[in-house]
Amino acid sequence: MAILKTENLKKYYGKDTTLVKALNGVDLEVGKGEFLSIVGTSGSGKSTLLHMLGGLDRPTSGKVYVDGKDIFKLKDEELTIFRRRKIGFVFQNYNLVPILNVYENIVLPMELDGTRVDKKYVKEVIKTLGLQEKIYSLPSQLSGGRQQRVAIARALAAKPAIILADEPTGNLDSVTSQDVLSLMKITSQRYGQTMVMITHNEEIAQMSDRIIRIEDGKITGKGGEANA
């Protein structure tokens, strides 16, 4: 069953001689519980696609379905609430709040949403990601790898159905990248979450269940299993 689906998704910028077709008719399905990598070079459209999947930007035309719902039929406020409850984001630059400690950063989305924090679940996520000793530390007191683990914990904490990761290891060395990706895979499997990751790193992409490739705003290869 597809938990994420796009139909003829297009995103254009500019017009006439300055027209840029960032996405030019993307059809994609992602199964529930799948770990998918979208691979492409800079400017290929992969980040634009991820932003559309997460409802962070509206398309020029086409549809995005999340768990069967056509998300761009929602008004902006409805979409914000839907996104906060259904989708967790992990960004390359972590996007942690510098004046909040680790625990406060992790539970922030739920507090903004006014939903109850499942403290037992959050504690389990923190333990899985090896952050127990750092919950009172500020982001500036953490290594890049630990900051990314906090970002992953924050994405997981609200129990979203989908995790969208934008070059999550882009600022990390190769060893830390492998560690972080392994943890992301373990946690998504443990908590039954679908994960879509964009990357330009072929080695990192091999850790996913399936790889697709995007070039000039179009999917050029649907791919099979990553290690097939």
Coordinates of all heavy atoms in Angstrom, one line a residue, residues 40-121:
G40 N 20.4 12.2 -6.8 CA 20.5 13.2 -7.9 C 21.6 14.2 -7.6 O 21.9 14.4 -6.5
T41 N 22.1 14.8 -8.7 CA 23.1 15.8 -8.5 C 22.5 17.1 -8.1 O 21.2 17.3 -8.1 CB 23.9 16.0 -9.9 OG1 22.9 16.4 -10.8 CG2 24.6 14.8 -10.3
S42 N 23.3 18.1 -7.7 CA 22.8 19.4 -7.4 C 22.0 20.0 -8.6 O 22.5 20.0 -9.7 CB 24.0 20.3 -7.0 OG 23.5 21.6 -6.7
G43 N 20.8 20.5 -8.3 CA 20.0 21.1 -9.3 C 19.1 20.1 -10.1 O 18.4 20.5 -11.0
S44 N 19.1 18.8 -9.7 CA 18.4 17.8 -10.4 C 16.9 17.8 -10.1 O 16.0 17.3 -10.8 CB 18.9 16.4 -10.0 OG 18.8 16.2 -8.6
G45 N 16.5 18.5 -8.9 CA 15.1 18.6 -8.5 C 14.8 17.7 -7.3 O 13.6 17.7 -6.8
K46 N 15.8 17.1 -6.7 CA 15.5 16.2 -5.6 C 15.0 16.9 -4.4 O 14.1 16.5 -3.7 CB 16.7 15.3 -5.3 CG 18.0 16.0 -4.9 CD 19.1 15.0 -4.7 CE 20.3 15.6 -4.1 NZ 20.9 16.7 -4.9
S47 N 15.6 18.1 -4.0 CA 15.2 18.8 -2.9 C 13.8 19.4 -3.1 O 12.9 19.4 -2.2 CB 16.1 20.0 -2.6 OG 17.4 19.5 -2.1
T48 N 13.5 19.9 -4.3 CA 12.2 20.4 -4.6 C 11.1 19.3 -4.5 O 10.1 19.5 -3.9 CB 12.1 20.9 -6.1 OG1 13.1 21.9 -6.3 CG2 10.8 21.5 -6.4
L49 N 11.5 18.1 -4.9 CA 10.5 16.9 -4.8 C 10.3 16.7 -3.3 O 9.1 16.4 -2.9 CB 11.1 15.7 -5.5 CG 10.3 14.4 -5.3 CD1 8.9 14.6 -5.8 CD2 11.0 13.3 -6.1
L50 N 11.3 16.6 -2.5 CA 11.1 16.4 -1.1 C 10.2 17.4 -0.4 O 9.4 17.1 0.4 CB 12.5 16.3 -0.3 CG 12.4 15.6 1.0 CD1 12.5 14.1 0.9 CD2 13.6 16.1 1.9
H51 N 10.5 18.7 -0.8 CA 9.6 19.8 -0.2 C 8.2 19.6 -0.6 O 7.3 19.9 0.2 CB 10.2 21.1 -0.7 CG 11.5 21.5 -0.1 ND1 12.2 22.6 -0.5 CD2 12.1 20.9 1.0 CE1 13.3 22.7 0.3 NE2 13.3 21.7 1.1
M52 N 7.9 19.1 -1.8 CA 6.5 18.9 -2.3 C 5.9 17.7 -1.5 O 4.8 17.8 -1.1 CB 6.5 18.6 -3.8 CG 7.0 19.7 -4.7 SD 5.9 21.1 -4.6 CE 7.1 22.4 -5.0
L53 N 6.7 16.6 -1.3 CA 6.2 15.5 -0.6 C 5.8 15.9 0.8 O 4.9 15.3 1.4 CB 7.3 14.4 -0.6 CG 7.6 13.7 -1.9 CD1 8.8 12.7 -1.7 CD2 6.4 13.0 -2.5
G54 N 6.6 16.8 1.4 CA 6.3 17.2 2.8 C 5.4 18.4 2.9 O 5.1 18.9 4.0
G55 N 4.8 18.9 1.8 CA 3.9 20.0 1.8 C 4.6 21.3 2.2 O 3.9 22.2 2.7
L56 N 5.9 21.4 2.1 CA 6.6 22.7 2.4 C 6.4 23.7 1.3 O 6.7 24.9 1.6 CB 8.0 22.4 2.7 CG 8.4 21.5 3.9 CD1 9.8 21.2 3.9 CD2 8.0 22.2 5.2
D57 N 6.1 23.3 0.1 CA 5.9 24.2 -1.0 C 4.8 23.6 -1.9 O 4.7 22.4 -1.9 CB 7.2 24.3 -1.8 CG 7.2 25.5 -2.7 OD1 6.3 26.3 -2.7 OD2 8.2 25.6 -3.5
R58 N 4.1 24.5 -2.5 CA 3.0 24.0 -3.4 C 3.4 23.9 -4.8 O 4.2 24.7 -5.3 CB 1.8 25.0 -3.3 CG 1.1 24.9 -1.9 CD -0.1 25.8 -1.8 NE -0.8 25.7 -0.5 CZ -1.7 24.9 -0.2 NH1 -2.2 24.0 -1.1 NH2 -2.2 24.9 1.0
P59 N 2.9 22.8 -5.5 CA 3.4 22.6 -6.9 C 2.7 23.6 -7.9 O 1.7 24.2 -7.6 CB 2.9 21.2 -7.2 CG 1.7 21.0 -6.3 CD 2.0 21.8 -5.1
T60 N 3.3 23.7 -9.1 CA 2.6 24.4 -10.2 C 1.4 23.6 -10.6 O 0.3 24.2 -10.9 CB 3.6 24.5 -11.3 OG1 4.8 25.3 -10.9 CG2 3.0 25.3 -12.5
S61 N 1.5 22.3 -10.7 CA 0.4 21.4 -11.0 C 0.7 20.0 -10.5 O 1.9 19.7 -10.2 CB 0.1 21.4 -12.5 OG 1.2 20.9 -13.2
G62 N -0.3 19.1 -10.5 CA -0.1 17.8 -10.1 C -0.6 17.6 -8.7 O -1.0 18.5 -8.0
K63 N -0.5 16.4 -8.2 CA -1.0 16.0 -6.9 C 0.0 15.3 -6.0 O 0.9 14.6 -6.6 CB -2.3 15.1 -7.0 CG -3.4 15.8 -7.7 CD -4.6 14.9 -7.9 CE -5.8 15.6 -8.6 NZ -6.4 16.7 -7.8
V64 N -0.1 15.5 -4.7 CA 0.6 14.7 -3.7 C -0.4 14.1 -2.7 O -1.2 14.8 -2.1 CB 1.7 15.5 -3.0 CG1 2.3 14.7 -1.9 CG2 2.7 16.0 -3.9
Y65 N -0.3 12.8 -2.6 CA -1.2 12.1 -1.6 C -0.3 11.6 -0.5 O 0.7 10.9 -0.7 CB -1.9 10.9 -2.3 CG -2.9 11.3 -3.4 CD1 -2.5 11.3 -4.7 CD2 -4.2 11.7 -3.1 CE1 -3.4 11.7 -5.7 CE2 -5.1 12.0 -4.1 CZ -4.7 12.0 -5.4 OH -5.6 12.4 -6.4
V66 N -0.7 11.9 0.7 CA -0.1 11.4 1.9 C -1.1 10.6 2.7 O -2.1 11.2 3.1 CB 0.5 12.5 2.8 CG1 1.1 11.9 4.1 CG2 1.6 13.3 2.1
D67 N -0.9 9.3 2.8 CA -1.9 8.4 3.5 C -3.3 8.6 2.9 O -4.3 8.6 3.6 CB -1.9 8.7 5.0 CG -2.2 7.5 5.8 OD1 -2.2 6.4 5.3 OD2 -2.4 7.7 7.1
G68 N -3.3 8.7 1.6 CA -4.6 8.8 0.9 C -5.2 10.2 0.8 O -6.2 10.4 0.1
K69 N -4.6 11.2 1.4 CA -5.2 12.5 1.4 C -4.4 13.4 0.4 O -3.2 13.5 0.4 CB -5.1 13.1 2.8 CG -5.7 14.5 2.9 CD -5.6 15.1 4.3 CE -6.6 14.4 5.2 NZ -8.0 14.8 5.0
D70 N -5.2 14.1 -0.4 CA -4.6 15.1 -1.4 C -4.3 16.3 -0.6 O -5.1 17.2 -0.3 CB -5.7 15.4 -2.5 CG -5.2 16.3 -3.6 OD1 -4.1 16.9 -3.4 OD2 -5.9 16.5 -4.6
I71 N -3.0 16.4 -0.3 CA -2.6 17.4 0.7 C -2.7 18.9 0.2 O -2.9 19.8 1.0 CB -1.2 17.2 1.3 CG1 -0.1 17.4 0.2 CG2 -1.1 15.9 2.0 CD1 1.3 17.3 0.7
F72 N -2.7 19.1 -1.1 CA -2.7 20.5 -1.6 C -4.2 20.9 -1.8 O -4.4 22.0 -2.3 CB -1.9 20.6 -2.8 CG -0.4 20.4 -2.5 CD1 0.3 19.4 -3.1 CD2 0.2 21.3 -1.6 CE1 1.7 19.3 -2.8 CE2 1.6 21.2 -1.3 CZ 2.3 20.1 -1.9
K73 N -5.1 20.1 -1.4 CA -6.5 20.6 -1.3 C -6.7 21.3 0.1 O -7.8 21.9 0.3 CB -7.5 19.4 -1.5 CG -7.7 19.0 -2.9 CD -8.8 18.0 -3.1 CE -9.1 17.7 -4.5 NZ -10.1 16.7 -4.7
L74 N -5.8 21.1 1.0 CA -5.9 21.7 2.3 C -5.5 23.1 2.3 O -4.6 23.5 1.5 CB -5.0 20.9 3.3 CG -5.3 19.4 3.5 CD1 -4.1 18.8 4.4 CD2 -6.6 19.2 4.2
K75 N -6.2 23.9 3.1 CA -5.8 25.3 3.3 C -4.4 25.4 4.0 O -4.0 24.4 4.7 CB -6.8 26.1 4.0 CG -8.2 26.2 3.3 CD -9.2 26.9 4.1 CE -10.6 27.0 3.4 NZ -11.6 27.6 4.2
D76 N -3.7 26.5 4.0 CA -2.4 26.6 4.6 C -2.4 26.2 6.0 O -1.5 25.4 6.4 CB -1.9 28.0 4.4 CG -1.5 28.4 3.0 OD1 -1.4 27.5 2.2 OD2 -1.3 29.6 2.7
E77 N -3.3 26.6 6.8 CA -3.3 26.3 8.3 C -3.6 24.8 8.5 O -2.9 24.1 9.3 CB -4.3 27.1 9.0 CG -4.3 26.9 10.5 CD -5.3 27.8 11.3 OE1 -5.9 28.7 10.7 OE2 -5.4 27.6 12.5
E78 N -4.5 24.2 7.7 CA -4.8 22.8 7.8 C -3.6 22.0 7.3 O -3.3 21.0 8.0 CB -6.0 22.5 6.9 CG -7.3 23.1 7.3 CD -8.4 22.9 6.3 OE1 -8.1 22.8 5.0 OE2 -9.6 22.7 6.7
L79 N -2.9 22.5 6.3 CA -1.7 21.7 5.8 C -0.6 21.8 6.9 O 0.1 20.7 7.1 CB -1.2 22.4 4.5 CG 0.0 21.8 3.9 CD1 -0.2 20.3 3.6 CD2 0.3 22.5 2.6
T80 N -0.4 22.9 7.5 CA 0.6 23.0 8.6 C 0.3 22.0 9.7 O 1.2 21.3 10.1 CB 0.6 24.4 9.2 OG1 1.0 25.3 8.1 CG2 1.6 24.5 10.3
I81 N -0.9 21.9 10.1 CA -1.3 20.9 11.2 C -1.1 19.5 10.7 O -0.5 18.7 11.4 CB -2.7 21.2 11.7 CG1 -2.8 22.6 12.3 CG2 -3.2 20.1 12.6 CD1 -4.2 23.0 12.6
F82 N -1.6 19.2 9.5 CA -1.4 17.9 8.9 C 0.0 17.5 8.8 O 0.4 16.3 9.2 CB -2.1 17.8 7.6 CG -2.0 16.5 6.9 CD1 -3.0 15.5 7.2 CD2 -1.1 16.2 6.0 CE1 -3.0 14.3 6.6 CE2 -1.0 14.9 5.4 CZ -2.0 14.0 5.7
R83 N 0.8 18.4 8.4 CA 2.3 18.1 8.2 C 2.9 17.8 9.5 O 3.8 16.9 9.7 CB 2.9 19.3 7.5 CG 4.4 19.2 7.2 CD 4.9 20.3 6.3 NE 4.7 21.6 7.0 CZ 4.1 22.7 6.4 NH1 3.6 22.6 5.2 NH2 4.0 23.8 7.1
R84 N 2.6 18.6 10.5 CA 3.2 18.5 11.8 C 2.9 17.2 12.5 O 3.7 16.6 13.2 CB 2.7 19.7 12.7 CG 3.6 19.9 13.9 CD 3.5 21.4 14.4 NE 2.1 21.7 14.7 CZ 1.6 23.0 14.6 NH1 2.4 24.0 14.3 NH2 0.3 23.2 14.8
R85 N 1.7 16.6 12.2 CA 1.3 15.4 12.8 C 1.6 14.1 12.0 O 1.7 13.0 12.6 CB -0.2 15.4 13.0 CG -0.6 16.5 14.0 CD -2.1 16.7 14.2 NE -2.4 17.7 15.2 CZ -3.6 18.1 15.5 NH1 -4.7 17.6 14.9 NH2 -3.8 19.1 16.4
K86 N 1.8 14.3 10.7 CA 2.0 13.1 9.9 C 3.5 12.9 9.4 O 3.9 11.8 9.0 CB 1.1 13.2 8.6 CG -0.3 12.8 8.8 CD -0.4 11.3 8.9 CE -1.9 10.9 9.0 NZ -2.1 9.4 9.1
I87 N 4.2 14.1 9.4 CA 5.6 14.0 8.7 C 6.6 14.6 9.7 O 6.5 15.6 10.3 CB 5.5 14.8 7.4 CG1 4.5 14.3 6.5 CG2 6.9 14.8 6.7 CD1 4.2 15.2 5.3
G88 N 7.7 13.9 9.8 CA 8.9 14.3 10.5 C 10.0 14.7 9.5 O 10.2 14.0 8.5
F89 N 10.7 15.8 9.7 CA 11.7 16.3 8.8 C 13.1 16.2 9.5 O 13.3 16.5 10.7 CB 11.5 17.7 8.4 CG 10.3 17.9 7.6 CD1 9.0 18.2 8.2 CD2 10.3 17.8 6.2 CE1 7.9 18.4 7.4 CE2 9.2 17.9 5.4 CZ 7.9 18.3 6.0
V90 N 14.1 15.7 8.7 CA 15.5 15.8 9.2 C 16.3 16.5 8.1 O 16.3 16.1 6.9 CB 16.1 14.4 9.3 CG1 17.5 14.4 9.8 CG2 15.3 13.5 10.3
F91 N 16.9 17.7 8.5 CA 17.6 18.5 7.5 C 19.1 18.4 7.7 O 19.6 18.1 8.7 CB 17.1 20.0 7.7 CG 15.7 20.2 7.4 CD1 14.8 20.4 8.5 CD2 15.2 20.3 6.1 CE1 13.4 20.6 8.2 CE2 13.8 20.5 5.9 CZ 13.0 20.7 6.9
Q92 N 19.8 18.7 6.6 CA 21.2 18.7 6.6 C 21.8 19.6 7.7 O 22.8 19.3 8.3 CB 21.7 19.1 5.2 CG 23.3 19.1 5.1 CD 23.7 19.5 3.7 OE1 22.9 19.5 2.8 NE2 25.0 19.8 3.6
N93 N 21.2 20.8 7.9 CA 21.8 21.7 8.9 C 21.1 21.6 10.3 O 21.2 22.6 11.0 CB 21.6 23.2 8.3 CG 22.4 23.4 7.0 OD1 23.5 22.9 7.0 ND2 21.8 24.0 6.1
Y94 N 20.5 20.5 10.5 CA 20.0 20.2 11.9 C 18.7 21.0 12.3 O 17.8 20.5 12.8 CB 21.0 20.2 13.0 CG 22.4 19.7 12.6 CD1 23.5 20.5 12.9 CD2 22.6 18.6 11.9 CE1 24.8 20.0 12.5 CE2 23.8 18.1 11.5 CZ 24.9 18.9 11.8 OH 26.2 18.5 11.4
N95 N 18.8 22.3 12.1 CA 17.7 23.2 12.4 C 17.3 23.1 13.9 O 16.1 23.2 14.2 CB 16.5 23.0 11.5 CG 16.7 23.5 10.1 OD1 17.8 24.0 9.8 ND2 15.7 23.4 9.3
L96 N 18.3 23.0 14.8 CA 18.0 23.0 16.2 C 17.9 24.4 16.7 O 18.5 25.3 16.2 CB 19.0 22.2 17.0 CG 19.3 20.7 16.5 CD1 20.4 20.1 17.3 CD2 18.0 19.9 16.6
V97 N 17.1 24.6 17.8 CA 17.0 25.9 18.4 C 18.1 26.0 19.4 O 18.2 25.3 20.4 CB 15.6 26.0 19.1 CG1 15.5 27.4 19.8 CG2 14.5 25.8 18.1
P98 N 19.0 27.0 19.2 CA 20.3 27.1 20.0 C 20.1 27.3 21.5 O 20.9 26.9 22.3 CB 21.0 28.2 19.3 CG 20.0 29.0 18.6 CD 19.0 28.0 18.1
I99 N 19.0 28.0 21.9 CA 18.8 28.3 23.3 C 18.0 27.2 24.0 O 17.8 27.3 25.3 CB 18.0 29.6 23.5 CG1 16.7 29.6 22.8 CG2 18.9 30.8 22.9 CD1 15.8 30.8 23.1
L100 N 17.6 26.1 23.3 CA 16.9 25.0 24.0 C 17.9 23.8 24.1 O 18.7 23.6 23.2 CB 15.7 24.6 23.1 CG 14.6 25.6 22.9 CD1 13.5 25.0 22.1 CD2 14.1 26.2 24.2
N101 N 17.7 23.1 25.2 CA 18.6 21.9 25.4 C 18.1 20.8 24.5 O 17.1 20.9 23.8 CB 18.7 21.5 26.9 CG 17.4 21.0 27.5 OD1 16.5 20.4 26.8 ND2 17.3 21.3 28.8
V102 N 18.8 19.6 24.6 CA 18.4 18.5 23.7 C 17.0 18.0 23.9 O 16.2 17.9 22.9 CB 19.4 17.3 24.0 CG1 18.9 16.0 23.4 CG2 20.8 17.7 23.4
Y103 N 16.6 17.8 25.1 CA 15.2 17.4 25.4 C 14.2 18.4 24.9 O 13.2 18.0 24.3 CB 15.0 17.1 26.9 CG 13.7 16.5 27.2 CD1 13.4 15.1 27.0 CD2 12.6 17.3 27.6 CE1 12.2 14.6 27.3 CE2 11.4 16.7 27.8 CZ 11.2 15.4 27.7 OH 9.9 14.8 27.9
E104 N 14.4 19.6 25.2 CA 13.5 20.7 24.7 C 13.4 20.8 23.2 O 12.3 21.0 22.7 CB 13.9 22.0 25.3 CG 13.8 22.1 26.8 CD 14.5 23.3 27.4 OE1 15.5 23.8 26.8 OE2 14.2 23.7 28.6
N105 N 14.5 20.6 22.5 CA 14.4 20.5 21.1 C 13.6 19.4 20.5 O 12.9 19.5 19.6 CB 15.8 20.5 20.5 CG 16.4 21.8 20.1 OD1 16.0 22.5 19.2 ND2 17.3 22.3 21.0
I106 N 13.8 18.2 21.2 CA 13.1 17.0 20.7 C 11.6 17.1 20.9 O 10.8 16.7 20.0 CB 13.6 15.8 21.5 CG1 15.1 15.5 21.1 CG2 12.7 14.6 21.3 CD1 15.8 14.5 21.9
V107 N 11.1 17.7 22.0 CA 9.6 17.8 22.2 C 9.0 19.1 21.7 O 7.8 19.2 21.8 CB 9.3 17.6 23.7 CG1 9.9 16.3 24.3 CG2 9.9 18.8 24.6
L108 N 9.8 20.0 21.2 CA 9.3 21.2 20.7 C 8.1 21.1 19.7 O 7.1 21.8 19.9 CB 10.4 22.1 20.1 CG 10.0 23.5 19.6 CD1 9.5 24.4 20.7 CD2 11.2 24.1 18.9
P109 N 8.2 20.3 18.6 CA 7.1 20.2 17.7 C 5.7 19.8 18.4 O 4.7 20.3 18.0 CB 7.5 19.1 16.7 CG 9.0 19.2 16.8 CD 9.3 19.4 18.2
M110 N 5.8 18.9 19.3 CA 4.6 18.5 20.0 C 4.0 19.6 20.9 O 2.8 19.8 21.0 CB 4.9 17.3 20.9 CG 5.0 16.0 20.1 SD 5.6 14.6 21.0 CE 7.3 15.0 21.3
E111 N 4.9 20.4 21.5 CA 4.5 21.5 22.4 C 3.9 22.6 21.5 O 2.9 23.2 21.9 CB 5.6 22.0 23.2 CG 6.1 21.0 24.2 CD 7.2 21.6 25.1 OE1 7.9 22.6 24.7 OE2 7.4 21.0 26.2
L112 N 4.4 22.8 20.3 CA 3.9 23.8 19.4 C 2.5 23.4 18.9 O 1.6 24.2 18.6 CB 4.8 24.0 18.2 CG 6.1 24.7 18.5 CD1 7.0 24.7 17.2 CD2 5.9 26.2 18.9
D113 N 2.3 22.1 18.8 CA 1.0 21.5 18.3 C 0.0 21.4 19.4 O -1.2 21.1 19.2 CB 1.3 20.1 17.7 CG 0.1 19.6 16.9 OD1 -0.5 20.5 16.2 OD2 -0.2 18.4 16.9
G114 N 0.5 21.5 20.7 CA -0.5 21.4 21.8 C -0.8 20.0 22.1 O -1.8 19.7 22.8
T115 N 0.0 19.0 21.6 CA -0.3 17.6 21.9 C 0.5 17.1 23.1 O 1.5 17.6 23.4 CB 0.0 16.7 20.6 OG1 1.3 17.0 20.2 CG2 -0.9 17.1 19.5
R116 N 0.0 16.0 23.7 CA 0.6 15.5 24.9 C 1.9 14.8 24.5 O 2.0 14.1 23.5 CB -0.3 14.5 25.5 CG 0.2 13.9 26.9 CD -0.7 12.9 27.4 NE -0.8 11.7 26.6 CZ 0.0 10.7 26.7 NH1 1.0 10.7 27.6 NH2 -0.2 9.6 25.9
V117 N 3.0 15.0 25.2 CA 4.3 14.4 25.0 C 4.2 13.0 25.6 O 3.9 12.8 26.8 CB 5.4 15.2 25.6 CG1 6.7 14.4 25.4 CG2 5.5 16.6 24.9
D118 N 4.5 12.0 24.8 CA 4.5 10.6 25.3 C 6.0 10.4 25.9 O 6.9 10.0 25.2 CB 4.3 9.6 24.2 CG 4.2 8.2 24.7 OD1 4.8 7.9 25.8 OD2 3.6 7.3 24.0
K119 N 6.1 10.7 27.2 CA 7.4 10.7 27.8 C 8.1 9.4 27.7 O 9.4 9.3 27.5 CB 7.3 11.2 29.2 CG 6.9 12.7 29.3 CD 6.9 13.2 30.7 CE 6.5 14.6 30.8 NZ 6.3 15.1 32.2
K120 N 7.4 8.3 27.9 CA 8.0 7.0 27.8 C 8.6 6.7 26.4 O 9.7 6.2 26.3 CB 6.9 5.9 28.2 CG 7.5 4.5 28.2 CD 6.4 3.5 28.6 CE 6.9 2.1 28.6 NZ 5.9 1.1 28.9
Y121 N 7.8 7.1 25.4 CA 8.2 6.9 24.0 C 9.4 7.7 23.7 O 10.4 7.3 23.1 CB 7.1 7.2 23.1 CG 7.4 7.1 21.6 CD1 7.6 5.9 20.9 CD2 7.6 8.3 20.9 CE1 8.0 5.8 19.6 CE2 7.9 8.2 19.5 CZ 8.1 7.0 18.9 OH 8.4 7.0 17.6

